[in-house]
Amino acid sequence: RVSYREIHPVYGKVVTRTKNYHAHDEADDAKAVAILGASNEWLGRWVKPLRQSLASSDPHTVLLDFSISGNRLLKDTGNRILLENLFGDRASKRFKDEILASSGIKTVIFCVGANDVLHPHTFACYPWEEEPSFKELTAVYEELICLAHSEGIKVIGTTITPLKSADGYTEKKRILRKEVNAWMKAYAGYDHIFDLSSVIQSPEDPDQMNPIFNSGDYLHFNASGGQAIADAFPREYLRS
């Protein structure tokens, strides 16, 4: 049995859920994989098809989604005047409170960072000057990776998706995203890196989402984009 905590999608409270394995499953074969993400994960457009694929190809692996729409790595919900705590506590805190507090998790997939880059100077963020630096973002990634490894949890990083043409996008944000993604792909602390960005970026403009995957706001990909990501996700990352 795997026990984990997540935010209830309707009531907004942290609830405890369990996953039971069949009696013939060997304990060493059972693997719980946690996804710490934001809206693109919460919407399920790549998480659900990946989960369905694993159900038939690797039934010993269970995918647990700890994602909250609008969630940021470094900061809690920005504009609490309008949004209260709609976007949740910062993911760095949730990792400690929810994932490390759960039992049976063998791997975590980090899918947070896009909102840290994009939210400043938009309605979702107040004060508007809450702009993260490259050093602030990478320092927290490193901290969480070290914490995970200290608990015997493997870490899969994912690159930040293209943000060009999304509300609030600026040249400064373009540069920050590129720097963070380059650091992710070069940093040896991750057990694996999934270059999610490369799957859905435009062939003509890698800073922008491929139009065929755009849901309309150039921030959230559509079902076709989600399926492309699920198909591209290396299954061996979950087995090793």
Side-chain angles (χ1 to χ4, degrees), residues 72-117:
R72 293 189 288 175
L73 177 69
L74 301 182
K75 302 285 187 180
D76 302 331
T77 296
N79 195 340
R80 289 180 182 262
I81 296 172
L82 295 178
L83 302 174
E84 296 183 352
N85 199 32
L86 180 64
F87 295 159
D89 294 332
R90 59 194 180 278
S92 55
K93 181 178 185 298
R94 295 199 304 113
F95 174 74
K96 301 168 188 175
D97 293 348
E98 298 171 28
I99 293 179
L100 292 187
S102 301
S103 64
I105 292 174
K106 305 290 182 66
T107 301
V108 61
I109 305 174
F110 286 150
C111 303
V112 285
N115 292 321
D116 293 76
V117 175

Side-chain angles (χ1 to χ4, degrees), residues 3-31:
S3 173
Y4 64 100
R5 303 172 72 206
E6 68 175 6
I7 301 293
H8 192 283
V10 176
Y11 302 110
K13 298 179 180 179
V14 176
V15 295
T16 299
R17 301 192 188 280
T18 59
K19 164 70 176 181
N20 290 317
Y21 292 96
H22 296 293
H24 64 268
D25 288 345
E26 296 181 13
D28 289 343
D29 291 336
K31 300 183 295 292

Side-chain angles (χ1 to χ4, degrees), residues 3-162:
S3 173
Y4 64 100
R5 303 172 72 206
E6 68 175 6
I7 301 293
H8 192 283
V10 176
Y11 302 110
K13 298 179 180 179
V14 176
V15 295
T16 299
R17 301 192 188 280
T18 59
K19 164 70 176 181
N20 290 317
Y21 292 96
H22 296 293
H24 64 268
D25 288 345
E26 296 181 13
D28 289 343
D29 291 336
K31 300 183 295 292
V33 178
I35 299 177
L36 186 66
S39 52
N40 273 318
E41 290 67 48
W42 179 78
L43 288 166
R45 289 173 182 156
W46 72 270
V47 176
K48 287 181 180 178
L50 179 59
R51 182 182 285 131
Q52 291 167 353
S53 172
L54 290 172
S56 57
S57 65
D58 189 3
H60 295 287
T61 298
V62 57
L63 210 55
L64 310 176
D65 193 1
F66 289 81
S67 303
I68 299 177
S69 180
N71 204 222
R72 293 189 288 175
L73 177 69
L74 301 182
K75 302 285 187 180
D76 302 331
T77 296
N79 195 340
R80 289 180 182 262
I81 296 172
L82 295 178
L83 302 174
E84 296 183 352
N85 199 32
L86 180 64
F87 295 159
D89 294 332
R90 59 194 180 278
S92 55
K93 181 178 185 298
R94 295 199 304 113
F95 174 74
K96 301 168 188 175
D97 293 348
E98 298 171 28
I99 293 179
L100 292 187
S102 301
S103 64
I105 292 174
K106 305 290 182 66
T107 301
V108 61
I109 305 174
F110 286 150
C111 303
V112 285
N115 292 321
D116 293 76
V117 175
L118 190 62
H119 276 188
H121 299 279
T122 70
F123 87 97
C125 187
Y126 183 86
W128 285 348
E129 61 269 18
E130 285 187 341
E131 295 180 342
S133 68
F134 168 81
K135 288 185 177 180
E136 287 173 329
L137 283 169
T138 55
V140 174
Y141 284 129
E142 287 189 48
E143 177 193 0
L144 298 188
I145 291 168
C146 288
L147 277 173
H149 286 164
S150 71
E151 297 291 330
I153 299 173
K154 294 180 179 179
V155 180
I156 300 172
T158 62
T159 50
I160 298 174
T161 53

Side-chain angles (χ1 to χ4, degrees), residues 171-183:
E171 174 66 11
K172 186 176 181 180
K173 294 176 181 181
R174 183 192 74 82
I175 294 171
L176 178 58
R177 171 185 167 269
K178 297 283 279 189
E179 289 177 339
V180 171
N181 280 354
W183 174 85

